[in-house]
Amino acid sequence: QRMKIASYLSTKSETFIIDEPTDGLHMKDVQRLIALFRDMVAQGNTIYVIEHNLDVLKSVDYLIDMGPEGGKRGGLIVAQGTPEQLADDPASVTGPFLKEILP
């Protein structure tokens, strides 16, 4: 997984689409990855992450909740906004889980 992430980041692109980057990583590595993504965004990069890890989801700027079936149902967006907005949105499938872990 680390090699996959390194190969993504070694490109000269300013926009990244990364699928499940935390899969198989230990929590310490997840925290390092989140910090790396924050640094990259601060440098002007855009990062789109497809993710289920709530520790990652609670730390992002903006979420698009595609419901329990995700892209399999044609990419239906059920809710979108900040993690706090999704936590309060009754249409969000992810919101109740975020609500439990947000301050």
Side-chain angles (χ1 to χ4, degrees):
Q1 189 68 353
R2 289 184 203 147
M3 292 300 293
K4 182 173 139 183
I5 293 167
S7 70
Y8 283 135
L9 303 180
S10 67
T11 68
K12 299 284 184 194
S13 179
E14 293 178 359
T15 302
F16 300 87
I17 301 172
I18 305 173
D19 187 16
E20 299 284 349
T22 64
D23 187 40
L25 295 180
H26 296 286
M27 283 305 300
K28 192 169 192 161
D29 291 329
V30 170
Q31 291 170 342
R32 287 183 189 142
L33 184 61
I34 291 170
L36 173 65
F37 287 168
R38 285 189 186 281
D39 289 345
M40 291 175 65
V41 169
Q43 294 172 17
N45 294 288
T46 301
I47 304 173
Y48 298 96
V49 178
I50 301 157
E51 185 61 68
H52 294 91
N53 184 319
L54 289 173
D55 287 315
V56 175
L57 296 181
K58 74 178 183 182
S59 68
V60 302
D61 295 325
Y62 194 83
L63 292 166
I64 298 173
D65 187 338
M66 296 179 71
E69 298 295 320
K72 292 180 184 177
R73 295 186 63 189
L76 178 67
I77 296 172
V78 297
Q80 57 187 323
T82 65
E84 294 77 16
Q85 289 170 328
L86 260 67
D88 291 331
D89 187 337
S92 175
V93 176
T94 307
F97 301 101
L98 286 168
K99 191 170 229 152
E100 290 180 15
I101 64 169
L102 288 173

